[in-house]
Amino acid sequence: LNQEQEKYNDLIMVPTVEAYANITEKVMHMMAYGITTRAQYIFKTDDDSFVRLDRLLEMLQERVGNGETADDCLYMGRISQLTAEVTKVDPTDKWYIPPETYPFDNEPCYMQ
């Protein structure tokens, strides 16, 4: 990571522990950084995802062509919903959500 940063200066370190459970905190830091630096776009993906950059650029160009500006917000991804079989059964599973954390009957959605 140090070599990457020295060569490209394209990494942003945030004050959080690297863990799957902290992904929301990391995204919030990323968005705050984008706001404070007035970034035109912020892009986040995971190492197990494939991004069609050609489609992404095409979609962004369409938004600009329709008169939208960087001040118009866009949060994009696929919304999925967890199931009780995943979230309520095994406390050692990474998807497990303790009832005291999410006490609702319906299962939470997430953006992918």
Side-chain angles (χ1 to χ4, degrees):
L1 290 177
N2 289 335
Q3 289 175 345
E4 166 83 12
Q5 184 64 3
E6 286 176 23
K7 187 171 183 177
Y8 300 106
N9 193 32
D10 62 351
L11 300 177
I12 299 165
M13 303 299 210
V14 296
T16 188
V17 175
E18 177 59 36
Y20 184 79
N22 294 339
I23 194 163
T24 300
E25 184 179 350
K26 290 189 288 185
V27 170
M28 296 301 290
H29 279 292
M30 177 190 72
M31 290 181 174
Y33 177 83
I35 290 168
T36 59
T37 61
R38 302 215 22 95
Q40 185 173 6
Y41 297 107
I42 304 168
F43 181 82
K44 182 214 174 288
T45 189
D46 293 316
D47 60 357
D48 61 351
S49 298
F50 177 78
V51 178
R52 291 278 313 267
L53 290 176
D54 58 332
R55 297 288 308 269
L56 176 62
L57 292 172
E58 181 181 296
M59 191 260 331
L60 292 173
Q61 288 169 344
E62 281 179 22
R63 289 176 58 89
V64 171
N66 290 332
E68 295 184 44
T69 68
D71 291 333
D72 295 312
C73 296
L74 168 69
Y75 188 79
M76 189 172 72
R78 187 179 82 204
I79 297 175
S80 300
Q81 189 165 22
L82 294 172
T83 63
E85 293 80 26
V86 173
T87 62
K88 307 264 191 242
V89 178
D90 183 3
T92 63
D93 189 281
K94 79 175 186 176
W95 298 107
Y96 176 76
I97 303 172
E100 60 272 12
T101 301
Y102 191 83
F104 309 103
D105 291 333
N106 63 323
E107 299 309 309
C109 293
Y110 64 96
M111 181 77 78
Q112 185 175 356

